[in-house]
Short mmCIF file of all heavy atoms in Angstrom, two decimals:
data_model
loop_
_atom_site.label_atom_id
_atom_site.label_comp_id
_atom_site.label_asym_id
_atom_site.label_seq_id
_atom_site.Cartn_x
_atom_site.Cartn_y
_atom_site.Cartn_z
N MET A 1 19.77 8.15 -14.20
CA MET A 1 19.14 8.27 -12.86
C MET A 1 20.22 8.57 -11.85
O MET A 1 21.22 7.86 -11.80
CB MET A 1 18.38 6.98 -12.57
CG MET A 1 17.67 7.03 -11.27
SD MET A 1 16.81 5.47 -10.87
CE MET A 1 15.36 5.62 -11.91
N SER A 2 20.02 9.61 -11.06
CA SER A 2 21.06 9.95 -10.05
C SER A 2 20.91 9.00 -8.84
O SER A 2 19.90 8.31 -8.69
CB SER A 2 20.88 11.39 -9.60
OG SER A 2 19.70 11.47 -8.83
N THR A 3 21.95 9.02 -7.97
CA THR A 3 21.90 8.18 -6.77
C THR A 3 20.68 8.47 -5.95
O THR A 3 20.01 7.58 -5.43
CB THR A 3 23.17 8.40 -5.96
OG1 THR A 3 24.31 8.23 -6.80
CG2 THR A 3 23.26 7.45 -4.81
N SER A 4 20.36 9.78 -5.81
CA SER A 4 19.22 10.12 -4.92
C SER A 4 17.91 9.57 -5.48
O SER A 4 16.99 9.25 -4.72
CB SER A 4 19.15 11.63 -4.74
OG SER A 4 18.91 12.24 -6.02
N ASP A 5 17.82 9.41 -6.84
CA ASP A 5 16.59 8.88 -7.40
C ASP A 5 16.38 7.44 -7.05
O ASP A 5 15.28 6.90 -7.11
CB ASP A 5 16.61 9.01 -8.93
CG ASP A 5 16.42 10.47 -9.34
OD1 ASP A 5 15.83 11.24 -8.58
OD2 ASP A 5 16.83 10.81 -10.46
N LYS A 6 17.46 6.73 -6.68
CA LYS A 6 17.38 5.30 -6.37
C LYS A 6 17.07 5.07 -4.92
O LYS A 6 16.84 3.94 -4.51
CB LYS A 6 18.70 4.59 -6.71
CG LYS A 6 18.98 4.53 -8.22
CD LYS A 6 20.29 3.82 -8.48
CE LYS A 6 20.59 3.82 -9.92
NZ LYS A 6 21.95 3.31 -10.22
N GLN A 7 17.08 6.14 -4.11
CA GLN A 7 16.80 5.94 -2.69
C GLN A 7 15.33 5.62 -2.48
O GLN A 7 14.47 6.03 -3.22
CB GLN A 7 17.19 7.21 -1.95
CG GLN A 7 18.68 7.41 -1.85
CD GLN A 7 19.07 8.68 -1.15
OE1 GLN A 7 18.20 9.52 -0.90
NE2 GLN A 7 20.31 8.80 -0.77
N CYS A 8 15.15 4.88 -1.38
CA CYS A 8 13.78 4.53 -1.00
C CYS A 8 12.99 5.76 -0.60
O CYS A 8 13.49 6.63 0.06
CB CYS A 8 13.86 3.54 0.19
SG CYS A 8 12.28 3.13 0.89
N ARG A 9 11.77 5.82 -1.09
CA ARG A 9 10.88 6.92 -0.68
C ARG A 9 9.66 6.30 0.01
O ARG A 9 9.14 5.32 -0.45
CB ARG A 9 10.40 7.68 -1.91
CG ARG A 9 11.50 8.44 -2.57
CD ARG A 9 10.98 9.30 -3.69
NE ARG A 9 12.10 9.77 -4.48
CZ ARG A 9 11.97 10.45 -5.59
NH1 ARG A 9 10.81 10.77 -6.03
NH2 ARG A 9 13.05 10.85 -6.27
N ILE A 10 9.30 6.91 1.08
CA ILE A 10 8.09 6.49 1.83
C ILE A 10 6.97 7.45 1.52
O ILE A 10 7.12 8.66 1.70
CB ILE A 10 8.38 6.42 3.34
CG1 ILE A 10 9.51 5.39 3.62
CG2 ILE A 10 7.09 6.04 4.09
CD1 ILE A 10 9.98 5.39 5.05
N ILE A 11 5.86 6.92 1.02
CA ILE A 11 4.68 7.76 0.75
C ILE A 11 3.59 7.35 1.71
O ILE A 11 3.20 6.15 1.72
CB ILE A 11 4.24 7.62 -0.70
CG1 ILE A 11 5.36 7.96 -1.67
CG2 ILE A 11 3.00 8.45 -0.94
CD1 ILE A 11 5.01 7.67 -3.10
N ALA A 12 3.14 8.24 2.55
CA ALA A 12 2.03 7.94 3.47
C ALA A 12 0.83 8.73 3.04
O ALA A 12 0.90 9.93 2.76
CB ALA A 12 2.41 8.29 4.91
N LEU A 13 -0.30 8.01 2.91
CA LEU A 13 -1.54 8.71 2.54
C LEU A 13 -2.44 8.70 3.79
O LEU A 13 -2.69 7.66 4.37
CB LEU A 13 -2.27 7.89 1.42
CG LEU A 13 -1.46 7.85 0.11
CD1 LEU A 13 -1.99 6.78 -0.81
CD2 LEU A 13 -1.44 9.19 -0.58
N PHE A 14 -2.87 9.87 4.17
CA PHE A 14 -3.67 9.94 5.37
C PHE A 14 -4.78 11.00 5.28
O PHE A 14 -4.66 11.96 4.55
CB PHE A 14 -2.81 10.21 6.62
CG PHE A 14 -2.07 11.51 6.57
CD1 PHE A 14 -2.63 12.62 7.22
CD2 PHE A 14 -0.88 11.63 5.91
CE1 PHE A 14 -1.95 13.83 7.21
CE2 PHE A 14 -0.19 12.86 5.88
CZ PHE A 14 -0.73 13.95 6.51
N ASN A 15 -5.81 10.72 5.95
CA ASN A 15 -6.97 11.66 6.03
C ASN A 15 -7.73 11.27 7.29
O ASN A 15 -7.92 10.08 7.55
CB ASN A 15 -7.87 11.57 4.79
CG ASN A 15 -8.84 12.68 4.70
OD1 ASN A 15 -9.62 12.91 5.63
ND2 ASN A 15 -8.91 13.34 3.59
N GLN A 16 -8.12 12.26 8.05
CA GLN A 16 -8.84 11.97 9.30
C GLN A 16 -10.16 11.28 9.02
O GLN A 16 -10.67 10.50 9.83
CB GLN A 16 -9.08 13.28 10.06
CG GLN A 16 -9.66 13.10 11.45
CD GLN A 16 -9.79 14.43 12.19
OE1 GLN A 16 -9.50 15.48 11.62
NE2 GLN A 16 -10.23 14.39 13.39
N ALA A 17 -10.81 11.63 7.89
CA ALA A 17 -12.14 11.09 7.58
C ALA A 17 -12.05 9.62 7.17
O ALA A 17 -11.08 9.16 6.56
CB ALA A 17 -12.71 11.89 6.44
N GLY A 18 -13.05 8.86 7.54
CA GLY A 18 -13.14 7.44 7.15
C GLY A 18 -13.85 7.32 5.81
O GLY A 18 -14.70 8.14 5.45
N GLY A 19 -13.49 6.24 5.11
CA GLY A 19 -14.17 5.85 3.88
C GLY A 19 -14.02 6.85 2.76
O GLY A 19 -14.90 7.02 1.93
N VAL A 20 -12.86 7.52 2.70
CA VAL A 20 -12.67 8.50 1.62
C VAL A 20 -11.65 8.06 0.58
O VAL A 20 -11.06 8.87 -0.14
CB VAL A 20 -12.24 9.88 2.20
CG1 VAL A 20 -13.36 10.49 3.02
CG2 VAL A 20 -10.98 9.77 3.07
N ALA A 21 -11.43 6.74 0.53
CA ALA A 21 -10.58 6.12 -0.53
C ALA A 21 -9.10 6.16 -0.25
O ALA A 21 -8.30 6.12 -1.18
CB ALA A 21 -10.91 6.69 -1.90
N LYS A 22 -8.73 6.23 1.01
CA LYS A 22 -7.25 6.16 1.34
C LYS A 22 -6.66 4.84 0.85
O LYS A 22 -5.63 4.83 0.20
CB LYS A 22 -7.03 6.28 2.84
CG LYS A 22 -7.54 7.60 3.47
CD LYS A 22 -7.25 7.65 4.93
CE LYS A 22 -8.10 6.65 5.77
NZ LYS A 22 -9.56 6.98 5.79
N SER A 23 -7.30 3.78 1.19
CA SER A 23 -6.76 2.43 0.80
C SER A 23 -6.85 2.22 -0.70
O SER A 23 -5.92 1.71 -1.30
CB SER A 23 -7.55 1.32 1.52
OG SER A 23 -7.38 1.42 2.90
N THR A 24 -7.94 2.69 -1.31
CA THR A 24 -8.08 2.59 -2.76
C THR A 24 -6.99 3.36 -3.46
O THR A 24 -6.35 2.86 -4.41
CB THR A 24 -9.43 3.08 -3.18
OG1 THR A 24 -10.44 2.38 -2.46
CG2 THR A 24 -9.67 2.90 -4.66
N LEU A 25 -6.71 4.57 -3.02
CA LEU A 25 -5.65 5.40 -3.61
C LEU A 25 -4.29 4.76 -3.43
O LEU A 25 -3.47 4.74 -4.34
CB LEU A 25 -5.69 6.79 -3.00
CG LEU A 25 -4.59 7.77 -3.48
CD1 LEU A 25 -4.59 7.91 -4.95
CD2 LEU A 25 -4.78 9.12 -2.82
N THR A 26 -4.05 4.21 -2.22
CA THR A 26 -2.77 3.55 -1.96
C THR A 26 -2.54 2.42 -2.91
O THR A 26 -1.49 2.25 -3.51
CB THR A 26 -2.77 3.03 -0.49
OG1 THR A 26 -2.96 4.13 0.38
CG2 THR A 26 -1.44 2.31 -0.18
N GLN A 27 -3.60 1.58 -3.09
CA GLN A 27 -3.49 0.43 -4.03
C GLN A 27 -3.18 0.92 -5.43
O GLN A 27 -2.28 0.40 -6.12
CB GLN A 27 -4.76 -0.37 -3.97
CG GLN A 27 -4.65 -1.58 -4.89
CD GLN A 27 -5.99 -2.30 -5.15
OE1 GLN A 27 -7.05 -1.63 -5.14
NE2 GLN A 27 -5.97 -3.56 -5.35
N ASN A 28 -3.95 1.88 -5.90
CA ASN A 28 -3.80 2.34 -7.28
C ASN A 28 -2.47 3.07 -7.50
O ASN A 28 -1.84 2.90 -8.56
CB ASN A 28 -4.98 3.22 -7.69
CG ASN A 28 -6.17 2.37 -7.99
OD1 ASN A 28 -6.26 1.72 -9.01
ND2 ASN A 28 -7.15 2.35 -7.05
N LEU A 29 -2.02 3.83 -6.53
CA LEU A 29 -0.71 4.47 -6.63
C LEU A 29 0.40 3.44 -6.72
O LEU A 29 1.30 3.54 -7.54
CB LEU A 29 -0.52 5.43 -5.41
CG LEU A 29 0.77 6.23 -5.39
CD1 LEU A 29 0.81 7.18 -6.59
CD2 LEU A 29 0.88 7.05 -4.12
N GLY A 30 0.29 2.42 -5.83
CA GLY A 30 1.26 1.34 -5.90
C GLY A 30 1.29 0.64 -7.22
O GLY A 30 2.34 0.36 -7.79
N TYR A 31 0.09 0.38 -7.75
CA TYR A 31 -0.04 -0.31 -9.06
C TYR A 31 0.63 0.49 -10.16
O TYR A 31 1.43 0.00 -10.94
CB TYR A 31 -1.51 -0.53 -9.37
CG TYR A 31 -1.78 -1.05 -10.74
CD1 TYR A 31 -1.60 -2.42 -11.04
CD2 TYR A 31 -2.19 -0.18 -11.75
CE1 TYR A 31 -1.82 -2.87 -12.34
CE2 TYR A 31 -2.40 -0.69 -13.04
CZ TYR A 31 -2.20 -2.01 -13.34
OH TYR A 31 -2.42 -2.47 -14.58
N HIS A 32 0.37 1.80 -10.19
CA HIS A 32 0.89 2.60 -11.29
C HIS A 32 2.39 2.86 -11.14
O HIS A 32 3.11 2.94 -12.12
CB HIS A 32 0.12 3.89 -11.43
CG HIS A 32 -1.25 3.67 -12.10
ND1 HIS A 32 -1.36 3.46 -13.43
CD2 HIS A 32 -2.48 3.52 -11.57
CE1 HIS A 32 -2.65 3.26 -13.71
NE2 HIS A 32 -3.33 3.26 -12.62
N LEU A 33 2.90 2.95 -9.92
CA LEU A 33 4.34 3.09 -9.74
C LEU A 33 5.01 1.79 -10.17
O LEU A 33 6.05 1.83 -10.81
CB LEU A 33 4.65 3.38 -8.24
CG LEU A 33 4.33 4.81 -7.80
CD1 LEU A 33 4.50 4.94 -6.29
CD2 LEU A 33 5.21 5.82 -8.49
N ALA A 34 4.44 0.66 -9.84
CA ALA A 34 4.99 -0.63 -10.26
C ALA A 34 4.97 -0.77 -11.78
O ALA A 34 5.93 -1.29 -12.38
CB ALA A 34 4.21 -1.78 -9.61
N LYS A 35 3.89 -0.29 -12.42
CA LYS A 35 3.79 -0.32 -13.87
C LYS A 35 4.90 0.49 -14.52
O LYS A 35 5.34 0.22 -15.63
CB LYS A 35 2.45 0.23 -14.37
CG LYS A 35 1.29 -0.71 -14.15
CD LYS A 35 0.81 -1.43 -15.39
CE LYS A 35 0.27 -0.54 -16.45
NZ LYS A 35 -0.20 -1.34 -17.62
N ARG A 36 5.34 1.54 -13.80
CA ARG A 36 6.45 2.38 -14.30
C ARG A 36 7.82 1.83 -13.85
O ARG A 36 8.78 2.59 -13.83
CB ARG A 36 6.23 3.79 -13.84
CG ARG A 36 5.08 4.48 -14.50
CD ARG A 36 4.73 5.80 -13.91
NE ARG A 36 3.43 6.22 -14.41
CZ ARG A 36 3.12 7.46 -14.74
NH1 ARG A 36 3.97 8.40 -14.60
NH2 ARG A 36 1.94 7.76 -15.20
N GLU A 37 7.79 0.59 -13.42
CA GLU A 37 9.03 -0.14 -13.08
C GLU A 37 9.69 0.34 -11.80
O GLU A 37 10.89 0.17 -11.62
CB GLU A 37 10.02 -0.10 -14.28
CG GLU A 37 9.26 -0.43 -15.56
CD GLU A 37 9.96 -1.42 -16.44
OE1 GLU A 37 11.18 -1.46 -16.43
OE2 GLU A 37 9.25 -2.17 -17.11
N HIS A 38 8.93 0.96 -10.93
CA HIS A 38 9.46 1.28 -9.58
C HIS A 38 9.20 0.00 -8.74
O HIS A 38 8.19 -0.69 -8.92
CB HIS A 38 8.72 2.44 -8.94
CG HIS A 38 8.97 3.72 -9.64
ND1 HIS A 38 10.16 4.46 -9.43
CD2 HIS A 38 8.24 4.47 -10.54
CE1 HIS A 38 10.09 5.57 -10.16
NE2 HIS A 38 8.98 5.59 -10.81
N ARG A 39 10.12 -0.26 -7.82
CA ARG A 39 9.89 -1.38 -6.91
C ARG A 39 8.98 -0.83 -5.78
O ARG A 39 9.35 0.19 -5.16
CB ARG A 39 11.21 -1.87 -6.34
CG ARG A 39 12.09 -2.50 -7.43
CD ARG A 39 13.44 -2.90 -6.90
NE ARG A 39 13.26 -4.02 -5.98
CZ ARG A 39 14.15 -4.34 -5.03
NH1 ARG A 39 15.21 -3.58 -4.85
NH2 ARG A 39 13.96 -5.38 -4.24
N VAL A 40 7.90 -1.51 -5.55
CA VAL A 40 6.90 -1.00 -4.59
C VAL A 40 6.62 -2.01 -3.50
O VAL A 40 6.46 -3.20 -3.75
CB VAL A 40 5.57 -0.71 -5.35
CG1 VAL A 40 4.48 -0.29 -4.39
CG2 VAL A 40 5.78 0.34 -6.43
N LEU A 41 6.60 -1.54 -2.26
CA LEU A 41 6.16 -2.35 -1.17
C LEU A 41 4.95 -1.64 -0.50
O LEU A 41 5.10 -0.50 -0.02
CB LEU A 41 7.29 -2.50 -0.14
CG LEU A 41 6.89 -3.22 1.21
CD1 LEU A 41 6.49 -4.66 0.94
CD2 LEU A 41 8.05 -3.14 2.18
N LEU A 42 3.81 -2.28 -0.54
CA LEU A 42 2.62 -1.74 0.12
C LEU A 42 2.56 -2.37 1.53
O LEU A 42 2.57 -3.57 1.66
CB LEU A 42 1.36 -2.08 -0.66
CG LEU A 42 1.24 -1.49 -2.09
CD1 LEU A 42 0.03 -2.04 -2.76
CD2 LEU A 42 1.19 0.02 -2.02
N ILE A 43 2.50 -1.51 2.53
CA ILE A 43 2.39 -2.02 3.93
C ILE A 43 1.05 -1.67 4.51
O ILE A 43 0.71 -0.46 4.57
CB ILE A 43 3.53 -1.41 4.79
CG1 ILE A 43 4.88 -1.79 4.19
CG2 ILE A 43 3.41 -1.95 6.23
CD1 ILE A 43 6.10 -1.19 4.93
N ASP A 44 0.31 -2.66 4.89
CA ASP A 44 -1.06 -2.45 5.44
C ASP A 44 -0.98 -2.53 6.95
O ASP A 44 -0.86 -3.65 7.50
CB ASP A 44 -1.99 -3.51 4.84
CG ASP A 44 -3.45 -3.27 5.22
OD1 ASP A 44 -3.73 -2.24 5.90
OD2 ASP A 44 -4.28 -4.07 4.77
N LEU A 45 -1.05 -1.43 7.61
CA LEU A 45 -1.00 -1.37 9.07
C LEU A 45 -2.39 -1.29 9.72
O LEU A 45 -2.50 -1.17 10.92
CB LEU A 45 -0.09 -0.19 9.56
CG LEU A 45 1.39 -0.34 9.26
CD1 LEU A 45 2.08 0.97 9.56
CD2 LEU A 45 1.98 -1.46 10.07
N ASP A 46 -3.40 -1.29 8.87
CA ASP A 46 -4.76 -1.09 9.38
C ASP A 46 -5.36 -2.47 9.76
O ASP A 46 -5.41 -3.35 8.93
CB ASP A 46 -5.61 -0.44 8.31
CG ASP A 46 -6.98 0.00 8.82
OD1 ASP A 46 -7.46 -0.61 9.80
OD2 ASP A 46 -7.52 0.92 8.25
N PRO A 47 -5.78 -2.62 11.02
CA PRO A 47 -6.36 -3.94 11.44
C PRO A 47 -7.56 -4.38 10.59
O PRO A 47 -7.81 -5.59 10.50
CB PRO A 47 -6.80 -3.67 12.88
CG PRO A 47 -5.99 -2.55 13.35
CD PRO A 47 -5.72 -1.66 12.12
N GLN A 48 -8.22 -3.44 9.92
CA GLN A 48 -9.36 -3.88 9.12
C GLN A 48 -8.86 -4.49 7.79
O GLN A 48 -9.64 -5.13 7.11
CB GLN A 48 -10.36 -2.76 8.86
CG GLN A 48 -9.91 -1.70 7.88
CD GLN A 48 -10.96 -0.62 7.63
OE1 GLN A 48 -12.12 -0.83 7.90
NE2 GLN A 48 -10.50 0.51 7.14
N ALA A 49 -7.61 -4.35 7.49
CA ALA A 49 -6.94 -5.03 6.38
C ALA A 49 -7.56 -4.86 5.01
O ALA A 49 -7.49 -5.73 4.16
CB ALA A 49 -6.84 -6.56 6.72
N SER A 50 -8.14 -3.70 4.77
CA SER A 50 -8.77 -3.42 3.46
C SER A 50 -7.75 -3.55 2.31
O SER A 50 -8.06 -4.19 1.29
CB SER A 50 -9.39 -2.02 3.41
OG SER A 50 -10.39 -1.91 4.38
N LEU A 51 -6.59 -2.97 2.50
CA LEU A 51 -5.59 -3.01 1.40
C LEU A 51 -5.21 -4.47 1.11
O LEU A 51 -5.06 -4.83 -0.08
CB LEU A 51 -4.38 -2.16 1.80
CG LEU A 51 -3.27 -2.04 0.72
CD1 LEU A 51 -3.80 -1.46 -0.59
CD2 LEU A 51 -2.13 -1.18 1.28
N THR A 52 -5.01 -5.22 2.18
CA THR A 52 -4.69 -6.66 1.99
C THR A 52 -5.76 -7.38 1.19
O THR A 52 -5.49 -8.10 0.26
CB THR A 52 -4.52 -7.31 3.35
OG1 THR A 52 -3.55 -6.59 4.10
CG2 THR A 52 -4.10 -8.76 3.29
N LYS A 53 -7.01 -7.10 1.58
CA LYS A 53 -8.13 -7.74 0.86
C LYS A 53 -8.21 -7.20 -0.60
O LYS A 53 -8.45 -7.98 -1.55
CB LYS A 53 -9.41 -7.43 1.55
CG LYS A 53 -9.56 -8.13 2.89
CD LYS A 53 -10.83 -7.68 3.62
CE LYS A 53 -10.77 -7.96 5.12
NZ LYS A 53 -11.75 -7.20 5.85
N PHE A 54 -8.00 -5.91 -0.81
CA PHE A 54 -8.01 -5.35 -2.15
C PHE A 54 -6.97 -6.04 -3.07
O PHE A 54 -7.17 -6.14 -4.26
CB PHE A 54 -7.72 -3.83 -2.13
CG PHE A 54 -8.77 -2.96 -1.51
CD1 PHE A 54 -8.55 -1.60 -1.30
CD2 PHE A 54 -10.02 -3.49 -1.18
CE1 PHE A 54 -9.53 -0.80 -0.80
CE2 PHE A 54 -11.03 -2.67 -0.63
CZ PHE A 54 -10.72 -1.33 -0.44
N MET A 55 -5.86 -6.46 -2.43
CA MET A 55 -4.80 -7.11 -3.19
C MET A 55 -5.08 -8.60 -3.44
O MET A 55 -4.29 -9.34 -3.96
CB MET A 55 -3.44 -6.95 -2.49
CG MET A 55 -3.00 -5.54 -2.34
SD MET A 55 -2.86 -4.60 -3.87
CE MET A 55 -1.48 -5.45 -4.67
N GLY A 56 -6.26 -9.05 -2.98
CA GLY A 56 -6.68 -10.43 -3.28
C GLY A 56 -6.30 -11.44 -2.24
O GLY A 56 -6.43 -12.65 -2.47
N LEU A 57 -5.81 -10.96 -1.07
CA LEU A 57 -5.36 -11.91 -0.04
C LEU A 57 -6.50 -12.03 1.01
O LEU A 57 -7.33 -11.14 1.17
CB LEU A 57 -4.09 -11.40 0.65
CG LEU A 57 -2.88 -11.26 -0.28
CD1 LEU A 57 -1.78 -10.48 0.40
CD2 LEU A 57 -2.36 -12.64 -0.72
N VAL A 58 -6.47 -13.18 1.70
CA VAL A 58 -7.44 -13.40 2.78
C VAL A 58 -6.70 -13.30 4.08
O VAL A 58 -5.89 -14.20 4.42
CB VAL A 58 -8.13 -14.79 2.63
CG1 VAL A 58 -9.15 -15.00 3.75
CG2 VAL A 58 -8.79 -14.95 1.26
N PRO A 59 -6.90 -12.20 4.85
CA PRO A 59 -6.09 -11.99 6.06
C PRO A 59 -6.06 -13.18 7.01
O PRO A 59 -5.04 -13.50 7.55
CB PRO A 59 -6.77 -10.78 6.69
CG PRO A 59 -7.40 -10.07 5.58
CD PRO A 59 -7.83 -11.11 4.58
N SER A 60 -7.20 -13.87 7.21
CA SER A 60 -7.24 -14.97 8.17
C SER A 60 -6.44 -16.19 7.68
O SER A 60 -6.12 -17.06 8.45
CB SER A 60 -8.70 -15.40 8.38
OG SER A 60 -9.29 -15.84 7.15
N GLN A 61 -6.07 -16.21 6.40
CA GLN A 61 -5.31 -17.31 5.87
C GLN A 61 -3.80 -17.04 5.85
O GLN A 61 -3.02 -17.91 5.44
CB GLN A 61 -5.78 -17.69 4.46
CG GLN A 61 -7.15 -18.26 4.44
CD GLN A 61 -7.67 -18.57 3.06
OE1 GLN A 61 -7.00 -18.27 2.04
NE2 GLN A 61 -8.85 -19.15 2.95
N LEU A 62 -3.40 -15.85 6.28
CA LEU A 62 -1.94 -15.49 6.24
C LEU A 62 -1.30 -16.09 7.47
O LEU A 62 -1.80 -15.99 8.60
CB LEU A 62 -1.79 -13.98 6.24
CG LEU A 62 -2.34 -13.28 4.99
CD1 LEU A 62 -2.23 -11.79 5.10
CD2 LEU A 62 -1.71 -13.76 3.75
N GLN A 63 -0.15 -16.74 7.24
CA GLN A 63 0.61 -17.34 8.36
C GLN A 63 1.19 -16.26 9.27
O GLN A 63 1.26 -16.44 10.47
CB GLN A 63 1.72 -18.24 7.81
CG GLN A 63 1.17 -19.25 6.85
CD GLN A 63 1.64 -20.64 7.21
OE1 GLN A 63 2.72 -20.82 7.77
NE2 GLN A 63 0.80 -21.65 6.95
N LYS A 64 1.65 -15.19 8.64
CA LYS A 64 2.25 -14.12 9.44
C LYS A 64 1.73 -12.80 8.92
O LYS A 64 1.51 -12.65 7.71
CB LYS A 64 3.78 -14.12 9.33
CG LYS A 64 4.42 -15.26 10.06
CD LYS A 64 5.83 -14.92 10.49
CE LYS A 64 6.31 -16.04 11.39
NZ LYS A 64 7.34 -15.69 12.27
N THR A 65 1.57 -11.84 9.81
CA THR A 65 1.11 -10.52 9.39
C THR A 65 2.09 -9.52 10.01
O THR A 65 2.96 -9.86 10.77
CB THR A 65 -0.30 -10.20 9.85
OG1 THR A 65 -0.29 -9.98 11.25
CG2 THR A 65 -1.28 -11.33 9.50
N VAL A 66 1.84 -8.24 9.68
CA VAL A 66 2.71 -7.20 10.23
C VAL A 66 2.59 -7.12 11.71
O VAL A 66 3.48 -6.66 12.41
CB VAL A 66 2.38 -5.86 9.54
CG1 VAL A 66 1.05 -5.30 10.05
CG2 VAL A 66 3.51 -4.85 9.69
N ALA A 67 1.49 -7.65 12.26
CA ALA A 67 1.32 -7.68 13.73
C ALA A 67 2.41 -8.51 14.39
O ALA A 67 2.84 -8.21 15.51
CB ALA A 67 -0.08 -8.21 14.08
N ASP A 68 2.81 -9.59 13.70
CA ASP A 68 3.90 -10.44 14.25
C ASP A 68 5.23 -9.65 14.36
O ASP A 68 5.97 -9.77 15.29
CB ASP A 68 4.11 -11.68 13.37
CG ASP A 68 2.89 -12.59 13.45
OD1 ASP A 68 2.59 -13.16 14.48
OD2 ASP A 68 2.20 -12.73 12.39
N ALA A 69 5.46 -8.83 13.34
CA ALA A 69 6.68 -8.04 13.33
C ALA A 69 6.69 -6.98 14.43
O ALA A 69 7.71 -6.67 15.03
CB ALA A 69 6.85 -7.38 11.96
N ILE A 70 5.51 -6.45 14.68
CA ILE A 70 5.43 -5.37 15.68
C ILE A 70 5.45 -6.00 17.08
O ILE A 70 6.07 -5.48 17.99
CB ILE A 70 4.12 -4.56 15.49
CG1 ILE A 70 4.23 -3.77 14.19
CG2 ILE A 70 3.89 -3.60 16.66
CD1 ILE A 70 2.92 -3.12 13.77
N1 ATP B 101 -13.51 6.55 -7.05
C1 ATP B 101 -14.33 5.78 -6.36
N2 ATP B 101 -15.58 5.63 -6.80
C2 ATP B 101 -16.48 4.86 -6.14
N3 ATP B 101 -16.20 4.15 -5.03
C3 ATP B 101 -14.98 4.27 -4.58
C4 ATP B 101 -13.97 5.08 -5.21
N4 ATP B 101 -12.84 5.02 -4.46
C5 ATP B 101 -13.12 4.18 -3.45
N5 ATP B 101 -14.38 3.74 -3.51
C6 ATP B 101 -15.02 2.85 -2.57
O1 ATP B 101 -15.24 3.54 -1.34
C7 ATP B 101 -15.11 2.66 -0.22
C8 ATP B 101 -14.09 3.23 0.74
O2 ATP B 101 -12.81 3.21 0.10
P1 ATP B 101 -11.52 2.89 0.95
O3 ATP B 101 -11.67 1.59 1.70
O4 ATP B 101 -10.32 2.99 0.02
O5 ATP B 101 -11.53 4.14 1.96
P2 ATP B 101 -10.62 4.39 3.25
O6 ATP B 101 -10.42 5.83 3.34
O7 ATP B 101 -9.40 3.55 3.16
O8 ATP B 101 -11.60 3.83 4.38
P3 ATP B 101 -11.23 3.57 5.92
O9 ATP B 101 -11.30 4.88 6.61
O10 ATP B 101 -12.35 2.62 6.34
O11 ATP B 101 -9.88 2.90 5.98
C9 ATP B 101 -14.71 1.31 -0.81
O12 ATP B 101 -15.85 0.48 -0.88
C10 ATP B 101 -14.19 1.65 -2.16
O13 ATP B 101 -14.32 0.58 -3.05
MG1 MG B 102 -8.66 2.12 4.53
#
């Protein structure tokens, strides 16, 4: 693996339309990259927190969210 292959890559999935599986695709892409031994960080910036919920977390029970960082 070359040095450039080890660099962090940011993948943003976007579509103007609502409900077209952006969050679902993000979750599944993250899952499959992790299965291939890539280190993955999924960042949920959407206030509706679908990705957070898809990952089995309860947003109201989190002590800190990305909103605190912002
Ligand atoms: N391949 C699929 N087949 C059937 N249902 C799906 C599929 N992919 C996603 N869904 C369902 O479609 C709905 C919308 O998916 P998702 O929340 O990923 O869309 P989104 O584009 O992130 O929506 P939003 O614009 O609200 O953020 C969810 O209920 C999800 O479970
Ligand atoms: Mg979404």
Side-chain angles (χ1 to χ4, degrees):
M1 183 181 281
S2 70
T3 306
S4 61
D5 287 336
K6 291 181 184 172
Q7 287 178 347
C8 174
R9 292 184 194 177
I10 299 172
I11 302 173
L13 298 166
F14 62 96
N15 191 308
Q16 186 178 3
V20 293
K22 298 179 294 290
S23 297
T24 304
L25 175 57
T26 301
Q27 181 193 31
N28 283 286
L29 183 60
Y31 172 79
H32 284 282
L33 287 171
K35 285 258 296 181
R36 290 171 192 220
E37 315 226 329
H38 293 282
R39 295 177 69 204
V40 176
L41 173 65
L42 296 175
I43 302 177
D44 188 0
L45 291 171
D46 189 334
Q48 74 178 340
S50 298
L51 182 58
T52 303
K53 292 174 199 163
F54 290 173
M55 298 303 292
L57 299 167
V58 180
S60 61
Q61 291 178 357
L62 298 175
Q63 305 232 328
K64 289 207 172 204
T65 73
V66 73
D68 295 293
I70 293 171

